[in-house]
Amino acid sequence: MRNIFLICKKELKSYFASPIAYAVMALFALIFGWLFSGYTHYFAQRGMEAMMQQQPVNVNESIIRPMLGFASTIALFLIPMITMRLFAEEKKSGTIELLMTSPIRDIEIILGKWLGSLLLYICVLLMSALNVALLFAWGKPDLKPVLVAYLGLILQGGCLLAIGTLISTMTKNQIIAGGVTFFVCLLLWMLSIATAFDTSVTAQVLNYCSIVTHIENFNKGVLDSKDVIFYLSMIFLALFLTSRSMESLRWRS
Amino acid sequence: MIKVQGLTKRYARTVAVDDISFEVEKGQIVGFLGPNGAGKTTTMRVLTCFLPPTAGTANICGFDVLENPMEVKKRIGYLPETPPLYPEMEVNEYLTFVGQIKGIPGADIDKRVAEVIGRCALGDVRAKLIGKLSKGFRQRVGIAQAIIHNPDVLILDEPTSGLDPKQIIEIRELLKALAGEHTIILSTHILSEVEQSCERVIIISQGKLVAQDSVVNLTNRLRGAEAVSLEVEATEGKPDPTEVQGRLEQVAGVSRVMMKDSKGGRLTFEVESLQGRHIRADLARSVVNSGWNLSELRAVGLSLEDIFLQLTTAEPKQEGGQK
Ligand SMILES: Nc1ncnc2c1ncn2[C@@H]1O[C@H](COP(=O)(O)OP(=O)(O)O)[C@@H](O)[C@H]1O
Ligand SMILES: [Mg+2]
């Protein structure tokens, strides 16, 4: 436990030692700010019309949900940037020899690194929470669906980060690690789009396997244990494969 | 302290280490000498549990590297060929991190960090970013991280390579000071390095162990002493090893007799002469006069000289060509 925490702390420190973490966070604050102002503006217009037609309007439905839905798409671009260095950098600089000859277990290294990347990802998500907090200050949106949506984002992020961690163990080259991770994320994302309206069995299975499909319920504010279990088992699987990959690093190299 | 038996490491195509056996006693400082590509780094990586051996065993402080890697790792300090440093960390912070993952209890960390900073003369740079340090300082930070948990065994891979002469002297001094407390293996491809810092030397070339001896004996051999391998057989039954050894030691000009092997009724010895003495004829006569058969007699010094030649000629080229 102590070792996981140590590695995690080290990862977070080195993220924040470089300007990249701040740049990414600033970029996302900007994107979310822009989306937020766009949606609120639209909402205000629609609100007027709706009031005239005496229809109910909902902040959750018309601002928070589309905004967080967009966040899950942005994650596809964000994840490779976060995970590409995790192992590739240590392999390149040789510090992996320090970690692997220290009395800590491989799985502790892996969990520490993954946790570090997840915390950074959560920090980035918090940039969007600033905007959401504004809505709570001035309006009365429902809290529960917002929390569920964030939980979904974190689970999906954890899943993609685990895949990125796995890919980072396979190369010394950060750019390759990042590129392949982006490609895999993109593939998963497209898979869910391509199979969404196809009813054949294979398409449904593929659709089920797509990591992006399971975010939809969360985004609607529906907490389904099936989705949670799916994400948790995908995280487990990817991290397990990472430990196998590290093991083979020993035997191959 | 360190016991290696039949160690073999094969990569996809190359056999990097081929059936090496040696032992290192507690408190010794041993030089691992060989030209580039000899398999020094590979052997060290097996000893530190970074790579598993393909065959054979390595035992450190009574723990096997495959069966009990955690225990081995706790007792080993390792400086790889390139020091494993995080450029974005400060020296203090880095040593604290390494101390923590080496399992030093939280209460003792600050004390240990201060101690190694003192030993490695890092006081002036303790709050500097590692990325901003000079090569000599980085090497010292590398040594500091290797000794932070006060390990029984120190394994240093080419600790002086790429440094300028002044830095080399500083590192040598540091190693000498450390020698009392730790068992040290250091690798190098430079002969004079071993003469300077080590008590014993293990020479490998192309993955094979060529010689292991005290530095004094080796320099003797180099200066024209003769080394002879001979096989003795009894005409009937088995010769008594101590008796044979005793007879050989009495031959004029012999400085040392080592028993190498006994297979069936056959004993193999390695005999060394004093400087400038030729002992082969006398050895043969002595064996035959004692009523034994001499089944083989050959000089073994030659291959060693070849290696030294390779080492001494390869040195300037590598220094200039690499990095
Ligand atoms: N990761 C590796 N994969 C394949 N071959 C390797 C690897 N590392 C070293 N070798 C080969 O093993 C041999 C020994 O290398 P090494 O142990 O680094 O020698 P030294 O440290 O004595 O210079 C060399 O022929 C080298 O090419
Ligand atoms: Mg080497």
Side-chain angles (χ1 to χ4, degrees):
Chain A
M1 263 329 267
R2 176 178 180 246
N3 292 332
I4 298 176
F5 168 74
L6 286 171
I7 301 285
C8 174
K9 200 172 102 191
K10 181 209 121 212
E11 291 306 323
L12 277 178
K13 264 191 182 161
S14 63
Y15 277 127
F16 285 101
S18 75
I20 293 184
Y22 299 102
V24 168
M25 282 167 67
L27 185 70
F28 276 74
L30 218 68
I31 293 178
F32 279 119
W34 178 64
L35 279 177
F36 178 72
S37 72
Y39 281 124
T40 30
H41 192 72
Y42 179 64
F43 174 76
Q45 272 185 350
R46 273 252 327 263
M48 302 276 244
E49 289 165 21
M51 222 144 48
M52 281 177 217
Q53 293 160 18
Q54 310 213 315
Q55 277 173 357
V57 289
N58 182 322
V59 181
N60 283 81
E61 289 275 317
S62 23
I63 302 181
I64 299 179
R65 194 202 285 183
M67 204 171 84
L68 295 187
F70 197 72
S72 90
T73 311
I74 299 178
L76 300 179
F77 299 87
L78 177 62
I79 284 345
M81 283 195 262
I82 295 182
T83 58
M84 65 182 194
R85 53 168 288 280
L86 280 180
F87 280 93
E89 191 179 39
E90 306 235 24
K91 281 175 77 174
K92 176 130 198 179
S93 74
T95 44
I96 193 79
E97 264 187 276
L98 169 65
L99 298 183
M100 287 173 78
T101 58
S102 293
I104 51 180
R105 278 173 292 164
D106 287 0
I107 194 67
E108 291 173 325
I109 301 176
I110 294 167
L111 285 176
K113 281 176 174 285
W114 174 75
L115 219 56
S117 70
L118 187 63
L119 288 179
L120 176 68
Y121 174 75
I122 290 174
C123 285
V124 176
L125 281 185
L126 283 179
M127 296 289 112
S128 70
L130 291 180
N131 298 315
V132 176
L134 278 181
L135 293 179
F136 278 92
W138 273 291
K140 274 210 206 73
D142 243 356
L143 180 62
K144 191 188 149 244
V146 176
L147 291 181
V148 171
Y150 271 110
L151 177 68
L153 280 174
I154 290 171
L155 282 172
Q156 185 204 33
C159 205
L160 295 173
L161 288 167
I163 292 172
T165 310
L166 169 63
I167 292 169
S168 185
T169 57
M170 296 173 177
T171 172
K172 273 185 192 179
N173 188 322
Q174 288 193 49
I175 306 297
I176 292 179
V180 173
T181 306
F182 176 70
F183 186 74
V184 170
C185 289
L186 198 66
L187 207 70
L188 288 170
W189 187 58
M190 295 205 307
L191 211 63
S192 74
I193 296 175
T195 57
F197 303 105
D198 194 335
T199 48
S200 73
V201 178
T202 34
Q204 287 309 304
V205 170
L206 283 179
N207 195 26
Y208 176 79
C209 292
S210 167
I211 286 166
V212 186
T213 321
H214 294 261
I215 193 79
E216 278 158 16
N217 278 338
F218 286 101
N219 197 22
K220 285 180 204 144
V222 182
L223 185 59
D224 189 337
S225 60
K226 262 192 304 197
D227 297 320
V228 176
I229 289 169
F230 172 84
Y231 278 134
L232 290 181
S233 43
M234 283 301 278
I235 290 171
F236 179 82
L237 179 68
L239 293 181
F240 172 75
L241 290 177
T242 311
S243 81
R244 306 305 327 168
S245 166
M246 246 179 114
E247 186 82 23
S248 85
L249 207 96
R250 282 202 150 98
W251 289 94
R252 257 186 307 120
S253 63
Chain B
M1 194 105 262
I2 301 173
K3 200 168 178 180
V4 173
Q5 261 168 353
L7 187 74
T8 301
K9 176 71 195 178
R10 202 172 290 125
Y11 291 115
R13 273 181 215 88
T14 42
V15 181
V17 174
D18 191 1
D19 196 16
I20 283 186
S21 305
F22 63 87
E23 282 183 34
V24 179
E25 301 294 324
K26 191 170 176 188
Q28 270 186 340
I29 167 160
V30 174
F32 219 61
L33 180 63
N36 275 16
K40 304 182 293 292
T41 300
T42 306
T43 310
M44 293 185 147
R45 284 181 167 171
V46 173
L47 291 182
T48 53
C49 308
F50 183 67
L51 294 178
T54 312
T57 58
N59 193 293
I60 305 222
C61 308
F63 296 100
D64 188 88
V65 290
L66 273 184
E67 278 156 24
N68 230 330
M70 277 301 166
E71 295 303 317
V72 172
K73 289 176 187 180
K74 277 183 205 159
R75 289 165 177 79
I76 279 193
Y78 176 39
L79 173 64
E81 221 161 346
T82 39
L85 306 174
Y86 295 105
E88 74 274 6
M89 286 193 193
E90 288 169 7
V91 173
N92 240 334
E93 185 189 354
Y94 170 73
L95 291 175
T96 306
F97 170 69
V98 177
Q100 285 168 330
I101 61 170
K102 298 285 178 186
I104 300 176
D108 303 341
I109 287 267
D110 290 344
K111 209 178 95 222
R112 277 303 299 166
V113 169
E115 248 174 71
V116 295
I117 282 183
R119 284 219 87 146
C120 302
L122 291 166
D124 293 341
V125 296
R126 70 199 318 161
K128 275 208 177 146
L129 285 180
I130 291 176
K132 301 232 157 90
L133 295 183
S134 70
K135 186 119 208 245
F137 269 120
R138 281 187 206 199
Q139 199 73 9
R140 277 197 253 163
V141 176
I143 293 177
Q145 65 80 27
I147 60 175
I148 184 117
H149 54 307
N150 208 0
D152 295 329
V153 176
L154 257 185
I155 295 188
L156 311 169
D157 200 351
E158 312 229 359
T160 58
S161 80
L163 300 183
D164 66 36
K166 183 166 160 285
Q167 293 167 335
I168 290 181
I169 291 170
E170 282 169 7
I171 296 288
R172 272 185 198 155
E173 294 295 313
L174 178 56
L175 290 183
K176 277 211 182 102
L178 291 172
E181 301 151 46
H182 311 268
T183 306
I184 304 182
I185 301 189
L186 65 88
S187 78
T188 173
H189 60 271
I190 300 164
L191 177 58
S192 62
E193 182 76 41
V194 172
E195 287 177 322
Q196 294 281 339
S197 327
C198 306
E199 300 159 14
R200 269 188 64 215
V201 57
I202 295 170
I203 302 179
I204 60 170
S205 172
Q206 295 176 340
K208 292 208 168 56
L209 194 141
V210 182
Q212 54 171 326
D213 212 331
S214 70
V215 172
V216 181
N217 280 336
L218 266 181
T219 25
N220 260 344
R221 272 204 217 180
L222 257 184
R223 297 203 186 99
E226 198 174 22
V228 181
S229 161
L230 53 94
E231 241 175 57
V232 178
E233 247 177 352
T235 20
E236 59 214 51
K238 197 171 180 276
D240 178 22
T242 42
E243 199 189 337
V244 180
Q245 179 144 6
R247 285 286 163 83
L248 294 177
E249 274 164 356
Q250 281 161 17
V251 174
V254 167
S255 74
R256 212 156 73 115
V257 179
M258 282 171 293
M259 172 132 133
K260 283 284 172 193
D261 201 7
S262 76
K263 265 197 213 105
R266 213 176 261 191
L267 302 174
T268 314
F269 290 90
E270 208 172 290
V271 182
E272 281 166 27
S273 75
L274 296 170
Q275 265 177 51
R277 297 289 286 266
H278 298 286
I279 53 170
R280 268 186 265 183
D282 289 339
L283 280 176
R285 202 169 304 128
S286 162
V287 169
V288 175
N289 285 348
S290 309
W292 299 308
N293 287 345
L294 182 62
S295 42
E296 192 186 317
L297 176 74
R298 72 190 152 84
V300 290
L302 202 68
S303 64
L304 195 62
E305 276 161 30
D306 284 344
I307 297 303
F308 275 122
L309 210 61
Q310 206 179 343
L311 287 171
T312 39
T313 50
E315 178 191 335
K317 205 167 59 206
Q318 241 111 33
E319 289 294 277
Q322 236 187 3
K323 284 165 204 164

